[in-house]
Amino acid sequence: MAAHQEKKLAEERKHQNMQNDTKASQGQWGRAWEVDWFSLASILFLLMFAPLIVYYFIMSCAQYQCSLTDPLLDLLTGNKHLSDIWNRTPMLTYRAAAIYSLWVTFQVFLYVSIPDFCHKFLPGYVGGVQEGAVTPAGIVNKYEINGLQAWIITHVLWFANASCFHFFSPTIIFDNWIPLLWCANILGYAVSTFAMIKGYFFPTNAKDCKFTGNFFYDYMMGIEFNPRIGKWFDFKLFFNGRPGIVAWTLINLSFAAKQQELYGEVTNSMILVNVLQGIYVLDFFWNEAWYLKTIDICHDHFGWYLGWGDCVWLPYLYTLQGLYLVYHPVRLCTAHAIGVLTLGLLGYYIFRMTNHQKDLFRRTNGNCRIWGKKPEYIECSYMSVDGTKYYSKLMTSGFWGWARHFNYTGDLMGSLAYCLACGFEHMLPYFYIVYMTILLTHRCIRDEHRCSSKYGKDWKRYTAAVPYRLLPGMF
Ligand code: NDP
């Protein structure tokens, strides 16, 4: 695999073209973001308010039965003061700190100490040492892909404890939810601050660092592209996958256990949320090698956005449906449940197939079949900072001929299904679809801006061939 990649890169380098004008326009792809006032304002807003937003959602469930308006009304009418709400909020406890430290240490251990064995017996699964994409400085990083294994070991231990050993209650996560929030925040801020200092003083690869000159922007969006400790501990791969995404399914299981404890049953809505989100999580780990080619790993630098986001935003806000269902055990009628399941599975199918088509197309360099036909594509080229010219292809058939980001459309359909599983009584579970729509639309625009500066006029030819972003004929 490595020898093949080396050969491919060497062949591509033969096509080196040092035209300075092209280099000036395309050589800075992946790092050409200038800090305009809107980006700066958004960053300051998020740095100040994102932790409060997370707190507000979790607090409104704990103190106001998940009503998003009642806390505000209480405050505005003088019925309650901020101090009343704060005084009723559980503080950081030694128990939560111990649980969280043990959890993160265990995930670090699984990540760095147990090389992947799943790829040796699971047909079709790609694990073990894999290569990422070429970075703007022209580097190809190697990754130990063992997330599926970490997920399986963690969940086997969870079920073994719940059914046999009973060392702790499966409701442990729900029972310590707010104290754990403080621990997650401490880790999120610590890792983002460490990443910033590391970027200045001991970067893993100095050529792949980005300094915009704006402290807040650099803190939020990151300086280093792929910060690492030692050869294998990759910050991006670790923090996004574990503790964030491994935790996602455990958190949902803990919420289901709490429903059982409180009401003597697990509702069909809770089962739907657990199953649909479980499929999404399992899909992530099954395709972890593919994840190396996504925007998070290929283009985003590691700062607060990924560091704090993975530790706090993801585990707390992506699991709001399960949390809501602990307070409101919604029982769906059969038609509603089937509708939610169908939408969730259809969304998942579109999401997976669209991602699969691009992955297959890129892996085989276009020598494959998409929907039974040879794929159509546009040839394009770009340059890395050292002036090396590379060639690539943008597919214009299959789902990629319908819209430029139909994978996001599938993702949004799945996200809507999670929300609809919670019924229509409260707004809180719908935060997820609102957030995902903003996230993926913004991501789509951000990605297209980057692709445009990477591919120049070839990108224009592509957007002319596939004119819509998310919804064919509409947007
Ligand atoms: P994509 O997988 O869509 O990757 C975009 C990149 O693919 C582009 O930068 C470009 O990279 C390449 N590309 C674009 N168009 C084409 C084409 N027509 N043919 C071939 N290659 C093309 O984006 P993401 O990495 O953002 O998303 C991956 C998945 O993860 C999505 O399904 C998304 O829904 C999901 N996701 C989920 C999130 C969540 O929080 N739940 C958050 C973010 C993503 P290149 O430079 O190589 O040409």
Side-chain angles (χ1 to χ4, degrees):
M1 176 75 186
H4 174 71
Q5 182 79 12
E6 279 299 314
K7 204 172 144 208
K8 215 169 97 190
L9 287 177
E11 273 170 18
E12 282 169 344
R13 284 192 181 107
K14 274 192 204 153
H15 297 285
Q16 239 185 55
N17 179 341
M18 299 289 281
Q19 289 166 337
N20 284 336
D21 54 346
T22 319
K23 186 179 169 189
S25 68
Q26 295 192 337
Q28 297 295 304
W29 59 272
R31 53 170 69 196
W33 283 88
E34 64 284 348
V35 189
D36 55 80
W37 69 267
F38 181 73
S39 306
L40 187 61
S42 317
I43 278 162
L44 290 176
F45 175 84
L46 283 174
L47 279 173
M48 281 189 294
F49 293 109
L52 282 180
I53 292 172
V54 177
Y55 169 72
Y56 189 85
F57 275 95
I58 306 305
M59 175 280 297
S60 64
C61 277
Q63 298 188 23
Y64 289 88
Q65 290 288 310
C66 299
S67 166
L68 286 178
T69 47
D70 286 355
L72 270 181
L73 284 176
D74 259 0
L75 290 172
L76 290 174
T77 54
N79 217 2
K80 287 247 171 74
H81 298 291
L82 274 177
S83 57
D84 299 325
I85 292 179
W86 184 248
N87 289 339
R88 287 179 60 202
T89 302
M91 291 294 118
L92 179 63
T93 59
Y94 283 117
R95 182 173 161 74
I99 296 168
Y100 198 74
S101 310
L102 204 67
W103 161 250
V104 177
T105 310
F106 182 56
Q107 290 307 316
V108 172
F109 168 76
L110 292 178
Y111 179 54
V112 294
S113 309
I114 312 187
D116 186 70
F117 58 82
C118 287
H119 70 280
K120 297 191 174 149
F121 64 88
L122 285 175
Y125 171 67
V126 181
V129 177
Q130 299 294 326
E131 289 181 340
V134 188
T135 70
I139 290 160
V140 178
N141 282 306
K142 285 193 166 62
Y143 296 84
E144 173 68 44
I145 296 296
N146 59 1
L148 182 66
Q149 174 174 284
W151 187 88
I152 292 172
I153 293 174
T154 308
H155 283 72
V156 165
L157 291 177
W158 175 272
F159 280 110
N161 174 70
S163 54
C164 306
F165 302 122
H166 309 294
F167 289 139
F168 56 85
S169 162
T171 62
I172 189 169
I173 303 178
F174 177 87
D175 295 337
N176 293 277
W177 200 219
I178 295 185
L180 285 171
L181 174 63
W182 309 133
C183 302
N185 267 289
I186 292 170
L187 181 66
Y189 277 99
V191 78
S192 318
T193 309
F194 177 76
M196 174 108 175
I197 296 169
K198 185 175 170 326
Y200 272 103
F201 297 108
F202 48 104
T204 305
N205 193 314
K207 278 190 181 168
D208 267 326
C209 285
K210 179 179 79 174
F211 296 93
T212 62
N214 185 299
F215 173 83
F216 294 110
Y217 186 88
D218 286 354
Y219 184 69
M220 170 99 175
M221 299 309 287
I223 291 172
E224 273 202 85
F225 193 44
N226 289 303
R228 284 186 172 206
I229 291 181
K231 198 174 165 202
W232 293 109
F233 188 86
D234 184 89
F235 279 54
K236 270 200 235 170
L237 192 63
F238 177 77
F239 280 101
N240 194 41
R242 17 305 168 38
I245 302 186
V246 176
W248 190 345
T249 33
L250 287 188
I251 295 165
N252 278 343
L253 285 170
S254 186
F255 291 161
K258 194 70 193 179
Q259 254 202 354
Q260 178 71 40
E261 184 187 286
L262 290 174
Y263 313 105
E265 64 165 327
V266 179
T267 60
N268 57 359
S269 52
M270 181 67 97
I271 294 172
L272 275 171
V273 167
N274 267 263
V275 168
L276 291 175
Q277 295 189 347
I279 293 173
Y280 193 75
V281 167
L282 208 47
D283 174 277
F284 173 86
F285 286 116
W286 182 269
N287 295 293
E288 201 180 16
W290 153 84
Y291 175 67
L292 299 179
K293 306 285 157 67
T294 63
I295 291 173
D296 285 351
I297 299 277
C298 288
H299 310 307
D300 285 343
H301 290 240
F302 187 85
W304 187 87
Y305 171 73
L306 286 179
W308 180 87
D310 292 340
C311 291
V312 181
W313 189 270
L314 190 153
Y316 276 83
L317 294 190
Y318 284 28
T319 55
L320 275 181
Q321 285 83 24
L323 182 67
Y324 173 85
L325 292 171
V326 174
Y327 293 93
H328 300 268
V330 173
R331 291 167 194 90
L332 300 173
C333 68
T334 312
H336 189 149
I338 290 175
V340 167
L341 185 65
T342 310
L343 179 68
L345 292 180
L346 183 66
Y348 171 71
Y349 174 78
I350 292 173
F351 160 83
R352 173 55 21 232
M353 284 316 292
T354 313
N355 287 324
H356 170 72
Q357 286 180 354
K358 187 186 83 176
D359 186 46
L360 181 68
F361 172 77
R362 281 280 170 94
R363 261 191 296 119
T364 57
N365 199 22
N367 294 313
C368 58
R369 296 192 87 73
I370 302 289
W371 292 345
K373 286 193 284 199
K374 264 196 90 62
E376 292 159 22
Y377 54 83
I378 282 174
E379 298 266 10
C380 44
S381 65
Y382 61 95
M383 284 200 183
S384 60
V385 266
D386 62 0
T388 308
K389 187 167 186 176
Y390 294 91
Y391 292 90
S392 190
K393 293 182 173 80
L394 292 167
M395 183 164 42
T396 54
S397 60
F399 281 127
W400 293 87
W402 287 16
R404 300 201 291 271
H405 269 108
F406 212 60
N407 48 349
Y408 291 180
T409 311
D411 209 341
L412 289 174
M413 287 166 69
S415 306
L416 181 62
Y418 313 154
C419 305
L420 290 171
C422 298
F424 303 103
E425 233 174 84
H426 278 272
M427 290 186 294
L428 182 130
Y430 288 85
F431 167 78
Y432 189 66
I433 183 65
V434 174
Y435 163 71
M436 284 297 281
T437 307
I438 296 170
L439 173 88
L440 292 179
T441 310
H442 176 252
R443 202 176 170 92
C444 183
I445 292 165
R446 202 158 59 98
D447 183 49
E448 300 212 343
H449 180 96
R450 193 195 61 82
C451 285
S452 167
S453 65
K454 177 177 177 181
Y455 295 121
K457 61 180 175 10
D458 294 333
W459 184 254
K460 283 211 177 84
R461 288 199 292 132
Y462 170 62
T463 54
V466 186
Y468 294 102
R469 288 184 169 118
L470 293 176
L471 293 172
M474 288 171 75
F475 173 68

Short mmCIF file of all heavy atoms in Angstrom, two decimals, residues 78-111:
data_model
loop_
_atom_site.label_atom_id
_atom_site.label_comp_id
_atom_site.label_asym_id
_atom_site.label_seq_id
_atom_site.Cartn_x
_atom_site.Cartn_y
_atom_site.Cartn_z
N GLY A 78 -38.44 38.02 36.54
CA GLY A 78 -37.91 38.20 37.89
C GLY A 78 -38.31 37.10 38.85
O GLY A 78 -38.06 37.17 40.06
N ASN A 79 -38.98 36.09 38.31
CA ASN A 79 -39.40 34.96 39.12
C ASN A 79 -38.20 34.24 39.74
O ASN A 79 -38.27 33.70 40.83
CB ASN A 79 -40.16 33.99 38.19
CG ASN A 79 -41.32 33.34 38.88
OD1 ASN A 79 -41.60 33.64 40.03
ND2 ASN A 79 -41.99 32.47 38.16
N LYS A 80 -37.12 34.21 38.96
CA LYS A 80 -35.89 33.56 39.41
C LYS A 80 -34.71 34.44 39.03
O LYS A 80 -34.77 35.20 38.05
CB LYS A 80 -35.71 32.21 38.71
CG LYS A 80 -36.64 31.11 39.17
CD LYS A 80 -35.86 30.01 39.88
CE LYS A 80 -36.78 29.01 40.54
NZ LYS A 80 -37.42 28.13 39.58
N HIS A 81 -33.63 34.32 39.79
CA HIS A 81 -32.39 35.00 39.43
C HIS A 81 -31.42 33.96 38.90
O HIS A 81 -31.56 32.77 39.18
CB HIS A 81 -31.79 35.70 40.65
CG HIS A 81 -32.69 36.75 41.20
ND1 HIS A 81 -32.95 37.91 40.51
CD2 HIS A 81 -33.41 36.80 42.34
CE1 HIS A 81 -33.79 38.64 41.22
NE2 HIS A 81 -34.10 38.00 42.33
N LEU A 82 -30.41 34.48 38.19
CA LEU A 82 -29.39 33.55 37.67
C LEU A 82 -28.81 32.71 38.80
O LEU A 82 -28.57 31.51 38.63
CB LEU A 82 -28.25 34.35 37.00
CG LEU A 82 -28.44 34.73 35.55
CD1 LEU A 82 -27.27 35.56 35.06
CD2 LEU A 82 -28.60 33.49 34.66
N SER A 83 -28.63 33.35 39.94
CA SER A 83 -28.02 32.63 41.07
C SER A 83 -28.91 31.47 41.54
O SER A 83 -28.42 30.44 41.98
CB SER A 83 -27.75 33.59 42.23
OG SER A 83 -28.95 34.21 42.58
N ASP A 84 -30.26 31.62 41.40
CA ASP A 84 -31.15 30.52 41.80
C ASP A 84 -30.91 29.30 40.92
O ASP A 84 -30.85 28.16 41.40
CB ASP A 84 -32.63 30.93 41.66
CG ASP A 84 -32.96 32.11 42.55
OD1 ASP A 84 -32.37 32.19 43.65
OD2 ASP A 84 -33.78 32.96 42.14
N ILE A 85 -30.79 29.59 39.61
CA ILE A 85 -30.56 28.48 38.67
C ILE A 85 -29.19 27.86 38.94
O ILE A 85 -29.04 26.65 39.02
CB ILE A 85 -30.68 28.99 37.22
CG1 ILE A 85 -32.13 29.37 36.93
CG2 ILE A 85 -30.18 27.95 36.22
CD1 ILE A 85 -32.40 29.92 35.56
N TRP A 86 -28.20 28.73 39.09
CA TRP A 86 -26.83 28.25 39.30
C TRP A 86 -26.72 27.44 40.59
O TRP A 86 -26.07 26.39 40.64
CB TRP A 86 -25.86 29.43 39.29
CG TRP A 86 -24.44 29.01 39.40
CD1 TRP A 86 -23.60 29.21 40.45
CD2 TRP A 86 -23.68 28.27 38.42
NE1 TRP A 86 -22.36 28.66 40.19
CE2 TRP A 86 -22.39 28.07 38.94
CE3 TRP A 86 -23.97 27.76 37.16
CZ2 TRP A 86 -21.39 27.39 38.26
CZ3 TRP A 86 -22.98 27.08 36.47
CH2 TRP A 86 -21.71 26.91 37.03
N ASN A 87 -27.40 27.91 41.66
CA ASN A 87 -27.31 27.21 42.94
C ASN A 87 -27.92 25.81 42.90
O ASN A 87 -27.58 24.95 43.71
CB ASN A 87 -27.99 28.02 44.06
CG ASN A 87 -27.17 29.25 44.38
OD1 ASN A 87 -25.97 29.30 44.08
ND2 ASN A 87 -27.81 30.27 44.96
N ARG A 88 -28.85 25.62 41.95
CA ARG A 88 -29.47 24.28 41.83
C ARG A 88 -28.70 23.36 40.87
O ARG A 88 -29.09 22.22 40.65
CB ARG A 88 -30.91 24.42 41.33
CG ARG A 88 -31.86 24.97 42.41
CD ARG A 88 -33.25 25.12 41.86
NE ARG A 88 -33.82 23.86 41.40
CZ ARG A 88 -34.81 23.77 40.52
NH1 ARG A 88 -35.35 24.87 40.01
NH2 ARG A 88 -35.27 22.59 40.16
N THR A 89 -27.61 23.92 40.29
CA THR A 89 -26.83 23.13 39.32
C THR A 89 -25.78 22.30 40.05
O THR A 89 -25.01 22.86 40.84
CB THR A 89 -26.11 24.08 38.33
OG1 THR A 89 -27.09 24.87 37.69
CG2 THR A 89 -25.31 23.30 37.30
N PRO A 90 -25.75 20.98 39.81
CA PRO A 90 -24.72 20.16 40.46
C PRO A 90 -23.31 20.62 40.07
O PRO A 90 -23.07 20.99 38.92
CB PRO A 90 -24.98 18.75 39.93
CG PRO A 90 -26.37 18.77 39.40
CD PRO A 90 -26.64 20.17 38.97
N MET A 91 -22.42 20.63 41.03
CA MET A 91 -21.05 21.08 40.78
C MET A 91 -20.17 19.88 40.40
O MET A 91 -20.61 18.75 40.43
CB MET A 91 -20.48 21.75 42.04
CG MET A 91 -21.14 23.08 42.35
SD MET A 91 -20.79 24.30 41.08
CE MET A 91 -22.41 24.66 40.43
N LEU A 92 -18.92 20.19 40.10
CA LEU A 92 -17.94 19.14 39.81
C LEU A 92 -17.76 18.28 41.06
O LEU A 92 -17.67 18.82 42.17
CB LEU A 92 -16.61 19.81 39.43
CG LEU A 92 -15.44 18.90 39.11
CD1 LEU A 92 -15.73 18.03 37.89
CD2 LEU A 92 -14.19 19.72 38.85
N THR A 93 -17.78 16.97 40.88
CA THR A 93 -17.59 16.08 42.04
C THR A 93 -16.36 15.21 41.82
O THR A 93 -15.93 15.00 40.68
CB THR A 93 -18.80 15.14 42.22
OG1 THR A 93 -18.95 14.37 41.01
CG2 THR A 93 -20.09 15.91 42.48
N TYR A 94 -15.80 14.67 42.92
CA TYR A 94 -14.65 13.77 42.80
C TYR A 94 -15.06 12.53 42.01
O TYR A 94 -14.30 11.99 41.22
CB TYR A 94 -14.15 13.36 44.19
CG TYR A 94 -13.34 14.44 44.86
CD1 TYR A 94 -13.78 15.02 46.05
CD2 TYR A 94 -12.14 14.89 44.30
CE1 TYR A 94 -13.04 16.03 46.66
CE2 TYR A 94 -11.40 15.89 44.90
CZ TYR A 94 -11.86 16.46 46.08
OH TYR A 94 -11.12 17.45 46.66
N ARG A 95 -16.29 12.10 42.24
CA ARG A 95 -16.77 10.89 41.55
C ARG A 95 -16.77 11.10 40.04
O ARG A 95 -16.26 10.27 39.28
CB ARG A 95 -18.19 10.55 42.06
CG ARG A 95 -18.76 9.29 41.47
CD ARG A 95 -20.10 8.96 42.17
NE ARG A 95 -20.91 8.04 41.39
CZ ARG A 95 -20.67 6.75 41.24
NH1 ARG A 95 -19.62 6.21 41.80
NH2 ARG A 95 -21.47 5.98 40.51
N ALA A 96 -17.33 12.25 39.60
CA ALA A 96 -17.38 12.53 38.15
C ALA A 96 -15.97 12.65 37.58
O ALA A 96 -15.68 12.14 36.50
CB ALA A 96 -18.18 13.80 37.89
N ALA A 97 -15.10 13.34 38.34
CA ALA A 97 -13.72 13.50 37.87
C ALA A 97 -13.04 12.14 37.72
O ALA A 97 -12.31 11.90 36.74
CB ALA A 97 -12.93 14.39 38.84
N ALA A 98 -13.31 11.24 38.67
CA ALA A 98 -12.70 9.90 38.60
C ALA A 98 -13.26 9.12 37.40
O ALA A 98 -12.51 8.50 36.64
CB ALA A 98 -12.98 9.15 39.90
N ILE A 99 -14.59 9.19 37.22
CA ILE A 99 -15.22 8.47 36.09
C ILE A 99 -14.64 8.98 34.77
O ILE A 99 -14.24 8.21 33.90
CB ILE A 99 -16.77 8.67 36.08
CG1 ILE A 99 -17.41 8.05 37.32
CG2 ILE A 99 -17.38 8.09 34.81
CD1 ILE A 99 -18.87 8.46 37.52
N TYR A 100 -14.58 10.31 34.66
CA TYR A 100 -14.15 10.90 33.39
C TYR A 100 -12.67 10.60 33.11
O TYR A 100 -12.31 10.24 31.98
CB TYR A 100 -14.39 12.41 33.40
CG TYR A 100 -14.38 13.01 32.01
CD1 TYR A 100 -15.44 12.82 31.14
CD2 TYR A 100 -13.29 13.75 31.56
CE1 TYR A 100 -15.43 13.35 29.86
CE2 TYR A 100 -13.26 14.28 30.28
CZ TYR A 100 -14.34 14.08 29.44
OH TYR A 100 -14.32 14.60 28.16
N SER A 101 -11.84 10.71 34.14
CA SER A 101 -10.40 10.44 33.95
C SER A 101 -10.20 8.98 33.53
O SER A 101 -9.42 8.68 32.61
CB SER A 101 -9.61 10.67 35.23
OG SER A 101 -9.92 11.91 35.75
N LEU A 102 -10.93 8.09 34.20
CA LEU A 102 -10.81 6.67 33.87
C LEU A 102 -11.24 6.41 32.43
O LEU A 102 -10.60 5.67 31.68
CB LEU A 102 -11.71 5.88 34.84
CG LEU A 102 -11.34 4.44 35.08
CD1 LEU A 102 -10.01 4.36 35.82
CD2 LEU A 102 -12.43 3.73 35.88
N TRP A 103 -12.33 7.07 32.05
CA TRP A 103 -12.89 6.90 30.71
C TRP A 103 -11.90 7.34 29.63
O TRP A 103 -11.60 6.61 28.68
CB TRP A 103 -14.20 7.69 30.62
CG TRP A 103 -14.67 7.98 29.24
CD1 TRP A 103 -14.70 9.20 28.62
CD2 TRP A 103 -15.18 7.04 28.29
NE1 TRP A 103 -15.18 9.07 27.35
CE2 TRP A 103 -15.48 7.75 27.12
CE3 TRP A 103 -15.40 5.66 28.31
CZ2 TRP A 103 -15.99 7.15 25.98
CZ3 TRP A 103 -15.91 5.04 27.17
CH2 TRP A 103 -16.19 5.78 26.02
N VAL A 104 -11.34 8.55 29.80
CA VAL A 104 -10.42 9.08 28.79
C VAL A 104 -9.14 8.25 28.77
O VAL A 104 -8.64 7.89 27.69
CB VAL A 104 -10.14 10.58 29.03
CG1 VAL A 104 -9.12 11.11 28.03
CG2 VAL A 104 -11.41 11.40 28.94
N THR A 105 -8.64 7.88 29.96
CA THR A 105 -7.41 7.07 30.02
C THR A 105 -7.63 5.73 29.32
O THR A 105 -6.77 5.26 28.57
CB THR A 105 -7.02 6.81 31.50
OG1 THR A 105 -7.03 8.05 32.18
CG2 THR A 105 -5.65 6.18 31.62
N PHE A 106 -8.79 5.14 29.55
CA PHE A 106 -9.09 3.85 28.92
C PHE A 106 -9.13 3.99 27.40
O PHE A 106 -8.59 3.15 26.67
CB PHE A 106 -10.44 3.32 29.47
CG PHE A 106 -10.82 1.97 28.93
CD1 PHE A 106 -9.96 0.89 29.06
CD2 PHE A 106 -12.02 1.79 28.27
CE1 PHE A 106 -10.31 -0.36 28.54
CE2 PHE A 106 -12.38 0.55 27.76
CZ PHE A 106 -11.52 -0.52 27.89
N GLN A 107 -9.73 5.08 26.92
CA GLN A 107 -9.80 5.26 25.46
C GLN A 107 -8.40 5.54 24.88
O GLN A 107 -8.09 5.08 23.78
CB GLN A 107 -10.77 6.41 25.11
CG GLN A 107 -12.23 6.08 25.36
CD GLN A 107 -12.68 4.79 24.69
OE1 GLN A 107 -12.37 4.52 23.53
NE2 GLN A 107 -13.40 3.95 25.43
N VAL A 108 -7.56 6.27 25.61
CA VAL A 108 -6.18 6.50 25.14
C VAL A 108 -5.47 5.15 25.06
O VAL A 108 -4.79 4.84 24.07
CB VAL A 108 -5.41 7.46 26.09
CG1 VAL A 108 -3.94 7.53 25.71
CG2 VAL A 108 -6.03 8.84 26.06
N PHE A 109 -5.67 4.33 26.10
CA PHE A 109 -5.03 3.01 26.13
C PHE A 109 -5.47 2.18 24.92
O PHE A 109 -4.64 1.60 24.21
CB PHE A 109 -5.40 2.31 27.45
CG PHE A 109 -5.04 0.86 27.47
CD1 PHE A 109 -3.71 0.47 27.64
CD2 PHE A 109 -6.01 -0.13 27.30
CE1 PHE A 109 -3.36 -0.88 27.64
CE2 PHE A 109 -5.68 -1.47 27.30
CZ PHE A 109 -4.34 -1.85 27.47
N LEU A 110 -6.78 2.15 24.64
CA LEU A 110 -7.27 1.35 23.51
C LEU A 110 -6.71 1.89 22.19
O LEU A 110 -6.43 1.12 21.26
CB LEU A 110 -8.81 1.39 23.45
CG LEU A 110 -9.56 0.69 24.58
CD1 LEU A 110 -11.07 0.85 24.40
CD2 LEU A 110 -9.22 -0.80 24.63
N TYR A 111 -6.55 3.21 22.11
CA TYR A 111 -6.10 3.84 20.87
C TYR A 111 -4.62 3.58 20.60
O TYR A 111 -4.24 3.20 19.49
CB TYR A 111 -6.37 5.34 20.97
CG TYR A 111 -5.93 6.16 19.77
CD1 TYR A 111 -6.35 5.84 18.49
CD2 TYR A 111 -5.12 7.27 19.94
CE1 TYR A 111 -5.96 6.60 17.40
CE2 TYR A 111 -4.72 8.03 18.85
CZ TYR A 111 -5.14 7.70 17.58
OH TYR A 111 -4.75 8.44 16.50
#
